[in-house]
Amino acid sequence: MNKDSHALALVASEAKRFATFILQELKPKGKLLTPFNMFAAVVLLVAAVLLFIRFTKGLAYATNLSQDFPWGIWIGFDVITGVAFAGGAYVITFMVYVLRLEKYHPIVRITVLNGFLAYVFYAGALLFDLGRPWNVINPIIGNDFGVSSVMFLVAWHFMLYMITEFIEFSPAIAEWLGWKRVRKFLGSLTLGAVILGITLSTLHQSGLGALFLMAKNKIHPLWYTEFIPILFFVSSIFAGLSMVIFEGTISRRVFRSQISPAHEAAHDDIVIRLARVCAGTMYVYFFLKLLVFAHGQHWEYINTPMGYWFLVEMIGFVLIPVRLFTRAVQFGNLTLVRVAAVLTLIGIVLNRLNVSVIAYKWYAPEHYIPSWMEIEITLAVVVAEILVLRWVVNRMPILREPPEWATDRRGGEKIQFYVRKEEKQWATTT
Amino acid sequence: MNRRTFVRTIGAAGASVLPMCVGRAEQETPPKEFVGVLVDTTRCVGCRSCEMTCAEVHGFPQPDPDEAVFEKERSPSTTQWTLVNRYNTDKGEVFAKKQCMHCNQPACASACLTKAMLKTEEGPVIWREPKCMGCRFCMISCPFDVPKFEYDSPIPKIQKCTLCWERLQEAEQPACVEACPAEALQFGKRRELIEEARRRIVENPEEYVHHIYGEHEAGGTSYMYLSKVPFEQLGFRTDLDTTSYPELSKDYLYAVPIVLTLWPAFLLALSNATKKEGEPGEEGGGDE
Amino acid sequence: MGNNYVDLFATKGLEYILVIAFLFTLVVFWRFLNRQRRPAVSNPGKPSRLEWFTLGDHLYYHQGHTWANPEGAHAARVGIDDFAQKLVGKMDSIELPPVGAHLFQGEVGWKLRVGDKVIELLSPVEGEVVAINEEAKKSPELLNRDPYGRGWLMLVKLSSMRGNLRNLLSGALAGAWMEQTVEQLRRRISGNLGIALQDGGVPVTGIAKSISPEKWDEVAKEFLLTK
């Protein structure tokens, strides 16, 4: 009896300690009334009201969707572009865990976190767009498995990928909570999760493009091709990396206090290397687009307004960033890299919106323009994601070094995260 | 009974039983044939009885009976599953009824990830409310832009012609077909309708354009049309493929299991190849 | 054709199930494929019951079945290997050159006496004898019991460590050479010897005697390259 009550007391005290810890962590850190916070509060509040209207009255009261244009920016931007931007996660984990390029190790966690949050929030935002979101469990539980549908594939892959990303990210959570054994176990799952993640990413990045395969006569011939899935997949590589560069610039400034000088220096090196990968991939992508264009035999369309728009997308937002990236890599010019990254991101937005909204039914007399409410809610989703990201980075070891006991061991060597050795060269220390 | 009568009786009885045995052996259930509707626009007078009856049978408000509606080309909507448009063509005014085409291989049904859109074995493509999650992928995929979505409702439905599937279960004809006074609409097996259409073309070659719209378009549809003018003058899309639309995503969907097989194997091999000497055996396996 | 229901995607569900099964079994298969197995030729001096002859740790072997163990930078201990001792069997006496004598690699280094037969062995190294194992000389059965350890024969000061070692076998090569020797032996014996060796024991008369009771020294010299 004594032993039981003793064990119970132990469990109770552990639970209490844990609860106190969590409550402590939930409290906001730093100033509450910063400009960004106030802006975020306004955006979120307005969005909440709009969403209330949307769910009580119907999609027509918050969007400009119509019978001719069933999908607007909630799908075209939030889901399709947002997911392309999250492609950095599978590329970086591929480089670090499969190719074992340890140079990129410092940015793995922030990238995986970003990827995970992006999917959670954008797939979550999808629920706003669904007309009958309570039935979203139907394709999951088997009521019914519409296996003939590309959307079925995309939905399932989103779900599985979120789980995979969470597993990849979970060691950081275990470190935050101080659960050593759990941390060790989770670390052993990493390679498997990474491999699965890369496979799933390939399929759903291309799958988002495959969604439009059946809309053959409704998308402008310069954008419609049976190779849309491959183009979407390839472009997701440099879309993700450009986002990593762009987001890295911001988070390095915001979370400056967590980053050591050694990390800073190494980070610049990483940015240049990523720029090189972007340049190469975009170069290949440009030629893929050229191939597809030749194959489609639609050159007569070039000399039309839509044709000029196509050229703007290809030259202004693919070819020019390639040039900028290459130049930046040659001269080690970080600012140029960032400019190129931003241009690339805009190019991706353009490409995805073109396929889904702009070149879709380009012949329609009345074209779709997003309502301010749609834009507001999209903004709210982005803001919410940023807030969660900030909460996590401020508490868990994402940008700063993990606790001593958690460092991975590879081949008997301890991998240190931020050791500087001989100007911008990374080295593992024993 | 004498011997002759006996033999005759037995012979007759045996002969009558025999075809029953043979018949039963051959009586496997053949696959159900699609039903369809043939719309002969040369016969349509634009009375719009089909519109009215359809609205009445399915609980929609009665369409505006004023002829003025013909001035614009209308589209089916969330409150109207079918309608008749008036087209000014080279050969004068022609009326054409528009509704869901009930394709043989419907893009909408193949697009639906919950099988809310379903191609029934009998032929009609129906929408089942309990399953639908309102993603509107069917609308993106349909080459005829048929499904309509109730954007202004918090519990939105997809609205489109069902070929009166419930009535078909009761062995009744579709309401519009029954209502048509001009015999412009004919209901029957798709195969037989094609034969009938061909017969009409052969018997009156100047009356008709020598094409049955819907015989091959989008892989073949259950609603088919005959016309005396080229079909694009009646607001029909003539740039559609003769292969069905689901075929367009079929190749991609069948590549998926291949990627799911090749990628993990290749990545595992690659991760092994980049392993440095003396590293402990591979880390944990895949997880789902 | 085109008049009844055809499911274009009839097998998709099955395909997904197959792929999921594949992914799970891939993990198992991968683990199995990567299992480290001990190579069959490893000889760290711990003989398995099926191994006929052992090789000592980190030793250098001459093909005449003698070994050298470097000691320091300029000397090496020498002896005969397990095969040689099993081949010859119980010895009556060992004849070693005196301290100060010069050995030449590949030339006769010392002799073993069994009864009236004299078996010569080749020296694995070139150099000057600086010490002799008196214990082994007094009790030759040490060579049988511990050919690589207490059964060492001489300590030799080497003319050149590298030059000597270059011509000797070690590691995996030594293992391969020992396997060849076993093959050679197998071809000589008709199978009756296997019984004698399987329990780890050594016939008192030696393997060579079991092959040819009369001319066993010829057999031994054939293997020890001193014919």
Side-chain angles (χ1 to χ4, degrees):
Chain A
M1 199 59 195
N2 218 1
K3 218 160 100 183
D4 286 338
S5 62
H6 182 71
L8 213 64
L10 204 67
V11 170
S13 78
E14 265 303 302
K16 187 154 166 238
R17 190 181 70 82
F18 184 70
T20 330
F21 171 71
I22 294 288
L23 284 174
Q24 177 65 32
E25 291 288 80
L26 282 176
K27 280 208 267 264
K29 290 190 178 178
K31 233 164 71 140
L32 205 54
L33 290 174
T34 65
F36 177 76
N37 283 359
M38 296 197 284
F39 168 72
V42 169
V43 167
L44 288 176
L45 218 63
V46 173
V49 172
L50 290 176
L51 283 174
F52 179 75
I53 297 175
R54 174 258 174 278
F55 279 109
T56 50
K57 294 185 76 174
L59 277 167
Y61 296 91
T63 68
N64 276 349
L65 298 171
S66 64
Q67 306 298 351
D68 269 333
F69 291 93
W71 284 354
I73 60 165
W74 282 353
I75 302 281
F77 179 77
D78 284 25
V79 179
I80 298 183
T81 317
V83 162
F85 285 164
Y90 78 86
V91 178
I92 299 289
T93 51
F94 172 67
M95 295 202 284
V96 172
Y97 291 104
V98 179
L99 294 182
R100 296 176 201 252
L101 301 172
E102 289 303 328
K103 289 190 178 37
Y104 299 100
H105 213 129
I107 56 168
V108 169
R109 281 209 174 155
I110 183 78
T111 312
V112 168
L113 176 65
N114 259 316
F116 173 64
L117 289 181
Y119 277 80
V120 168
F121 278 86
Y122 294 132
L126 184 62
L127 291 176
F128 300 155
D129 181 80
L130 287 181
R132 303 162 67 94
W134 53 91
N135 275 345
V136 75
I137 50 162
N138 277 347
I140 299 171
I141 59 172
N143 181 26
D144 244 313
F145 286 142
V147 289
S148 60
S149 167
V150 177
M151 172 91 67
F152 176 78
L153 194 102
V154 170
W156 263 91
H157 280 199
F158 270 24
M159 242 183 25
L160 292 174
Y161 188 66
M162 277 192 265
I163 298 174
T164 316
E165 287 298 270
F166 184 71
I167 293 177
E168 279 177 38
F169 180 70
S170 54
I173 302 179
E175 285 165 18
W176 170 58
L177 293 172
W179 293 348
K180 301 194 177 148
R181 271 227 296 253
V182 174
R183 160 70 181 86
K184 193 143 171 262
F185 169 68
L186 292 173
S188 71
L189 296 178
T190 304
L191 183 65
V194 164
I195 287 178
L196 203 64
I198 297 168
T199 310
L200 291 173
S201 284
T202 312
L203 289 172
H204 66 241
Q205 294 285 359
S206 56
L208 286 175
L211 285 175
F212 296 98
L213 287 175
M214 283 202 278
K216 181 167 178 187
N217 302 92
K218 300 200 281 192
I219 298 181
H220 192 280
L222 283 177
W223 279 272
Y224 181 86
T225 155
E226 65 238 62
F227 297 107
I228 288 184
I230 297 181
L231 292 174
F232 268 43
F233 169 60
V234 174
S235 55
S236 72
I237 298 176
F238 57 80
L241 290 182
S242 296
M243 184 47 106
V244 169
I245 295 173
F246 175 71
E247 174 280 320
T249 317
I250 299 178
S251 58
R252 275 168 65 182
R253 207 162 297 164
V254 171
F255 300 108
R256 213 178 316 132
S257 52
Q258 292 194 31
I259 303 176
S260 62
H263 182 191
E264 287 256 8
H267 212 132
D268 289 345
D269 182 49
I270 291 176
V271 169
I272 297 288
R273 285 172 189 275
L274 291 180
R276 190 182 290 131
V277 178
C278 278
T281 326
M282 290 173 82
Y283 183 73
V284 169
Y285 174 76
F286 183 77
F287 273 94
L288 273 180
K289 272 254 167 162
L290 220 57
L291 256 174
V292 164
F293 176 66
H295 178 82
Q297 294 181 341
H298 292 296
W299 18 77
E300 71 273 12
Y301 280 103
I302 287 288
N303 204 7
T304 65
M306 285 307 273
Y308 307 143
W309 183 234
F310 178 73
L311 287 174
V312 164
E313 184 197 313
M314 287 312 303
I315 297 177
F317 295 97
V318 178
L319 216 52
I320 290 185
V322 173
R323 180 82 187 98
L324 292 179
F325 270 130
T326 1
R327 219 177 153 72
V329 165
Q330 282 166 352
F331 292 104
N333 187 340
L334 287 172
T335 321
L336 203 56
V337 170
R338 291 176 186 131
V339 169
V342 169
L343 277 182
T344 308
L345 292 176
I346 296 176
I348 293 291
V349 173
L350 270 183
N351 173 260
R352 298 301 199 259
L353 284 183
N354 275 340
V355 172
S356 58
V357 171
I358 300 175
Y360 177 83
K361 289 214 183 137
W362 80 100
Y363 48 76
E366 268 176 48
H367 209 88
Y368 160 80
I369 299 174
S371 69
W372 70 268
M373 296 174 278
E374 287 174 83
I375 299 177
E376 216 295 309
I377 293 180
T378 302
L379 189 61
V381 171
V382 174
V383 162
E385 192 201 328
I386 293 177
L387 288 177
V388 173
L389 183 84
R390 192 177 65 179
W391 189 91
V392 171
V393 175
N394 275 333
R395 284 159 186 75
M396 303 192 198
I398 312 284
L399 286 177
R400 57 187 154 80
E401 292 203 35
E404 192 52 45
W405 54 265
T407 335
D408 284 309
R409 291 189 165 272
R410 295 266 197 102
E413 293 175 26
K414 221 159 99 136
I415 295 178
Q416 288 277 55
F417 277 69
Y418 311 120
V419 170
R420 183 190 191 164
K421 201 166 172 175
E422 293 156 29
E423 6 119 72
K424 303 184 184 190
Q425 288 285 90
W426 285 89
T428 55
T429 62
T430 342
Chain B
M1 194 188 289
N2 60 9
R3 213 185 330 160
R4 196 184 285 163
T5 334
F6 179 71
V7 171
R8 219 181 278 157
T9 323
I10 296 294
S16 61
V17 168
L18 212 60
M20 267 205 314
C21 299
V22 174
R24 194 168 297 151
E26 285 178 343
Q27 204 162 50
E28 296 165 324
T29 26
K32 286 203 192 119
E33 279 203 42
F34 288 155
V35 296
V37 174
L38 181 64
V39 182
D40 194 333
T41 61
T42 62
R43 298 184 185 183
C44 178
V45 296
C47 70
R48 300 170 62 205
S49 311
C50 49
E51 280 185 44
M52 309 300 175
T53 318
C54 173
E56 197 188 310
V57 167
H58 296 283
F60 291 123
Q62 285 285 300
D64 183 359
D66 193 339
E67 270 205 16
V69 299
F70 280 137
E71 274 151 37
K72 274 198 345 202
E73 185 183 5
R74 296 173 295 160
S75 251
S77 69
T78 51
T79 51
Q80 190 170 23
W81 286 359
T82 187
L83 45 80
V84 179
N85 281 326
R86 185 179 65 196
Y87 296 95
N88 296 314
T89 71
D90 333 336
K91 296 203 179 163
E93 281 178 355
V94 179
F95 295 98
K97 176 180 179 294
K98 298 295 175 76
Q99 72 298 303
C100 173
M101 299 291 281
H102 296 279
C103 309
N104 289 354
Q105 287 286 357
C108 61
S110 129
C112 186
L113 77 169
T114 62
K115 292 204 172 132
M117 278 292 197
L118 183 72
K119 173 74 172 175
T120 58
E121 278 194 3
E122 294 84 1
V125 179
I126 58 174
W127 177 76
R128 302 184 288 176
E129 182 168 1
K131 295 185 191 273
C132 177
M133 51 186 232
C135 71
R136 311 187 297 286
F137 189 35
C138 52
M139 298 171 71
I140 293 277
S141 308
C142 175
F144 302 103
D145 289 317
V146 162
K148 301 288 182 265
F149 190 74
E150 291 178 343
Y151 288 108
D152 48 10
S153 157
I155 307 182
K157 300 208 271 274
I158 288 274
Q159 299 285 6
K160 75 168 193 73
C161 162
T162 57
L163 241 182
C164 282
W165 191 66
E166 307 81 28
R167 286 170 61 99
L168 296 185
Q169 311 292 86
E170 313 289 321
E172 288 179 4
Q173 295 219 336
C176 52
V177 174
E178 247 186 36
C180 181
E183 290 188 15
L185 303 175
Q186 185 170 337
F187 173 78
K189 286 212 179 30
R190 184 174 185 267
R191 183 176 43 81
E192 290 170 359
L193 291 174
I194 294 179
E195 288 165 11
E196 167 67 20
R198 290 200 182 128
R199 191 186 60 78
R200 290 187 201 176
I201 293 177
V202 163
E203 284 179 5
N204 307 293
E206 306 87 40
E207 282 288 308
Y208 294 103
V209 165
H210 293 194
H211 181 69
I212 307 169
Y213 188 87
E215 188 183 358
H216 297 298
E217 277 78 359
T221 62
S222 287
Y223 246 94
M224 292 174 287
Y225 290 80
L226 289 171
S227 160
K228 64 182 180 198
V229 296
F231 284 96
E232 52 266 22
Q233 295 185 23
L234 297 183
F236 286 103
R237 287 191 77 141
T238 47
D239 58 345
L240 301 177
D241 290 348
T242 51
T243 46
S244 69
Y245 280 75
E247 295 264 350
L248 291 172
S249 43
K250 193 174 75 142
D251 289 331
Y252 173 77
L253 282 173
Y254 278 99
V256 167
I258 296 184
V259 171
L260 279 171
T261 314
L262 290 181
W263 258 232
F266 174 66
L267 291 170
L268 267 178
L270 201 56
S271 77
N272 220 27
T274 53
K275 237 198 278 196
K276 296 188 186 65
E277 280 285 325
E279 236 178 81
E282 87 303 342
E283 295 165 12
D287 216 71
E288 274 216 79
Chain C
M1 180 66 195
N3 284 322
N4 38 41
Y5 181 70
V6 170
D7 189 356
L8 276 184
F9 300 95
T11 57
K12 277 234 68 61
L14 177 65
E15 286 171 30
Y16 283 143
I17 293 174
L18 279 174
V19 165
I20 292 171
F22 164 75
L23 286 173
F24 275 117
T25 54
L26 182 66
V27 178
V28 180
F29 179 72
W30 183 250
R31 286 229 161 103
F32 174 71
L33 203 57
N34 279 318
R35 244 192 318 164
Q36 294 283 348
R37 285 181 181 276
R38 304 205 135 255
V41 196
S42 80
N43 297 295
K46 284 180 280 205
S48 68
R49 288 233 309 230
L50 298 172
E51 277 179 32
W52 288 11
F53 308 105
T54 62
L55 287 170
D57 256 332
H58 306 307
L59 299 180
Y60 294 81
Y61 298 88
H62 189 273
Q63 291 190 325
H65 291 279
T66 50
W67 55 265
N69 191 4
E71 227 172 78
H74 303 286
R77 238 170 261 271
V78 301
I80 68 171
D81 70 6
D82 188 41
F83 175 80
Q85 97 34 36
K86 282 188 171 127
L87 190 68
V88 173
K90 188 161 178 289
M91 297 156 240
D92 292 326
S93 69
I94 311 172
E95 212 178 274
L96 297 171
V99 172
H102 200 88
L103 295 173
F104 292 94
Q105 193 181 55
E107 309 236 346
V108 176
W110 56 92
K111 302 184 182 137
L112 307 171
R113 282 184 192 280
V114 183
D116 59 343
K117 313 271 192 195
V118 176
I119 308 292
E120 291 166 328
L121 285 123
L122 302 178
S123 168
V125 296
E126 181 191 332
E128 191 190 312
V129 179
V130 296
I132 291 183
N133 189 353
E134 297 294 341
E135 213 191 325
K137 232 178 145 186
K138 257 188 281 180
S139 328
E141 56 279 14
L142 265 181
L143 269 70
N144 298 110
R145 263 192 282 134
D146 192 2
Y148 298 115
R150 290 173 63 203
W152 66 274
L153 289 173
M154 295 178 285
L155 184 63
V156 182
K157 192 172 102 179
L158 301 178
S159 44
S160 142
M161 178 67 78
R162 270 230 316 238
N164 270 297
L165 295 186
R166 209 181 317 153
N167 302 319
L168 299 177
L169 301 162
S170 68
L173 279 175
W177 160 69
M178 186 49 72
E179 278 191 350
Q180 268 178 355
T181 310
V182 171
E183 253 323 294
Q184 214 181 339
L185 188 65
R186 250 194 275 254
R187 270 183 261 129
R188 284 302 226 100
I189 63 182
S190 42
N192 46 350
L193 217 57
I195 311 161
L197 288 176
Q198 252 164 30
D199 59 7
V202 169
V204 174
T205 47
I207 298 174
K209 285 220 182 112
S210 308
I211 293 176
S212 162
E214 300 306 315
K215 295 222 171 77
W216 68 267
D217 58 330
E218 304 280 314
V219 173
K221 285 177 187 174
E222 197 185 302
F223 278 99
L224 299 173
L225 307 178
T226 49
K227 220 167 165 88

